[in-house]
Amino acid sequence: MKLYHFCNSKFSVTKSNSITSIYEDENRNLWIGTFGNGLFLFDRAEKKFNQIKSEGIQVSDFINVISPLDPDRILIGTSGSGLLLFDLATQKFSDFLKENLAFKQEINIVRAIKIDSKNNLWIGTDGNGLFEVEYPNGKHPVIHNYLYNSQLETSLSGNAIYNIMDDNDSNIWIGTAWNGISVLDKKNRSELLFSDIVGLNPSPVLSIYKSNNELYLGLDGEGLTVFNTASNKVKYYNEKHHNTGIKGNYIQKITETQDGLLWLGTFKNGLVKFNRKTDQFVQYKHKFENKSSISYDDVRDIIEDKDHNLWIATWGGGLNYFNPTTEK
């Protein structure tokens, strides 16, 4: 066995002595990632390194990790350009997070990549936590973001991820910077659903209601979030996301009547009727001059009776009996 030493100072071949990652494709080509000089292809016969130039996209020269996505494409985690997809045949780069996964948030540093035994893709970032991507090659990938949460004992221990591996029991081991190792138990874990779904800015949840595939979360200050469990799509109804206006951002109660309408009990904004078909809200507030209006605007509970009228419990104004037809 012979040992060959390829060093910048001696051979001037890679233009860099800082080699971060090596990947051998199915044709036995070696792809070399460097920290400061980008990506190289090694010619075994000539024992030469050819630097890969990017066209049409700005690619960072600081490569942290290389991992195959499929036999024809590799994923490249960088410092500065996030996660890149590289086509081995065309030798073209693309932004995997934005073009393939439709990410809207900026992910600049990716330090770890792992394809697990179920072909799920795990992406370790520096500062944005851990991402799990189900069906990474499909048209509709499903993305989960795991982040450190000081109020949650079982959350990720840190948001800077340097290494990822899975064991024989399908557990995911996550090496973090400065915060030790986190282990995600894939077999026995309960699913954690954040109030904003993605976990970037979760709020306290005051009320929950489920109708078929739609899960409604009434939030403490952020309005109403609707999560479709079948399509994994999310709608946000609050002052930030909805032009028609939900009429209240503190949703304490959610009730569905037999006609399919949703009724929301709010803090200080009275009773709100939500027509899901038209995406419209109607608000009922206390009016001092109108004795047939709701007695108080802090609504805690709502019940429909057999005559389809509503009983409305308020905090400070007693019990109200509401006729939805006459709106009195």
Side-chain angles (χ1 to χ4, degrees):
M1 178 182 290
K2 290 184 179 181
L3 180 64
Y4 295 93
H5 182 205
F6 298 97
C7 177
N8 178 39
S9 60
K10 185 176 180 180
F11 295 101
S12 190
V13 282
T14 63
K15 300 180 181 179
S16 174
N17 288 332
S18 301
I19 311 300
T20 58
S21 51
I22 305 173
Y23 169 68
E24 183 180 31
D25 64 26
E26 291 190 342
N27 296 318
R28 299 193 70 234
N29 295 314
L30 286 179
W31 300 89
I32 316 295
T34 72
F35 197 75
N37 283 281
L39 182 68
F40 288 82
L41 172 61
F42 178 58
D43 187 322
R44 287 176 181 269
E46 299 292 332
K47 291 185 172 55
K48 291 183 178 180
F49 294 83
N50 299 310
Q51 190 172 27
I52 306 301
K53 301 293 185 180
S54 61
E55 296 180 6
I57 179 175
Q58 186 174 359
V59 174
S60 172
D61 288 331
F62 296 88
I63 295 176
N64 298 316
V65 62
I66 301 174
S67 179
L69 180 63
D70 54 47
D72 302 314
R73 298 177 298 173
I74 59 176
L75 292 170
I76 302 174
T78 74
S79 291
S81 297
L83 185 61
L84 300 172
L85 182 65
F86 182 71
D87 190 301
L88 297 176
T90 63
Q91 296 193 7
K92 300 291 185 183
F93 293 92
S94 60
D95 190 320
F96 183 74
L97 296 179
K98 291 184 178 179
E99 295 184 27
N100 292 68
L101 302 184
F103 267 43
K104 293 182 179 179
Q105 65 184 115
E106 285 293 328
I107 308 293
N108 293 319
I109 303 176
V110 171
R111 295 194 181 275
I113 305 169
K114 176 67 179 177
I115 302 289
D116 67 17
S117 57
K118 297 180 180 179
N119 291 319
N120 295 323
L121 170 64
W122 297 83
I123 304 168
T125 73
D126 196 333
N128 299 94
L130 178 71
F131 290 90
E132 177 188 10
V133 184
E134 299 179 68
Y135 322 111
N137 288 313
K139 293 183 178 180
H140 303 289
V142 180
I143 303 168
H144 306 278
N145 187 201
Y146 301 90
L147 290 164
Y148 168 70
N149 186 337
S150 61
Q151 297 179 331
L152 187 65
E153 184 179 355
T154 57
S155 77
L156 193 65
S157 61
N159 290 329
I161 313 301
Y162 276 53
N163 209 344
I164 306 168
M165 65 158 284
D166 60 341
D167 61 24
N168 293 333
D169 293 322
S170 300
N171 299 314
I172 305 298
W173 293 69
I174 305 122
T176 71
W178 312 294
N179 296 100
I181 295 174
S182 294
V183 182
L184 180 60
D185 186 342
K186 293 290 287 182
K187 284 189 174 181
N188 302 313
R189 71 186 174 109
S190 299
E191 184 175 3
L192 176 66
L193 187 66
F194 290 99
S195 59
D196 66 343
I197 307 304
V198 295
L200 296 179
N201 185 30
S203 303
V205 177
L206 300 179
S207 54
I208 303 173
Y209 180 76
K210 192 172 189 297
S211 176
N212 297 321
N213 291 325
E214 292 186 316
L215 182 65
Y216 295 82
L217 303 175
L219 307 184
D220 188 6
E222 292 291 335
L224 183 70
T225 294
V226 184
F227 176 52
N228 190 305
T229 57
S231 66
N232 286 295
K233 293 184 177 180
V234 187
K235 283 186 177 181
Y236 302 99
Y237 296 93
N238 55 41
E239 295 176 355
K240 298 177 182 177
H241 293 88
H242 209 259
N243 294 330
T244 59
I246 190 175
K247 312 297 184 183
N249 280 327
Y250 299 84
I251 313 300
Q252 303 180 121
K253 179 68 179 181
I254 306 170
T255 296
E256 182 178 4
T257 49
Q258 293 184 30
D259 55 8
L261 295 173
L262 287 183
W263 296 84
L264 313 178
T266 74
F267 173 70
K268 292 188 177 180
N269 284 282
L271 179 70
V272 175
K273 178 173 66 176
F274 178 32
N275 189 325
R276 291 174 288 181
K277 293 181 180 179
T278 62
D279 229 21
Q280 296 294 318
F281 297 89
V282 178
Q283 184 181 36
Y284 302 90
K285 290 193 70 175
H286 172 70
K287 296 179 180 178
F288 180 77
E289 70 282 0
N290 185 357
K291 293 184 178 180
S292 293
S293 67
I294 194 168
S295 63
Y296 206 71
D297 288 333
D298 188 345
V299 176
R300 298 297 178 98
D301 203 2
I302 308 165
I303 291 177
E304 180 186 27
D305 65 20
K306 64 179 181 179
D307 296 320
H308 309 302
N309 296 317
L310 300 181
W311 294 85
I312 302 164
T314 71
W315 184 267
L319 182 66
N320 287 250
Y321 186 57
F322 178 65
N323 186 324
T325 303
T326 64
E327 298 190 325
K328 294 183 179 180

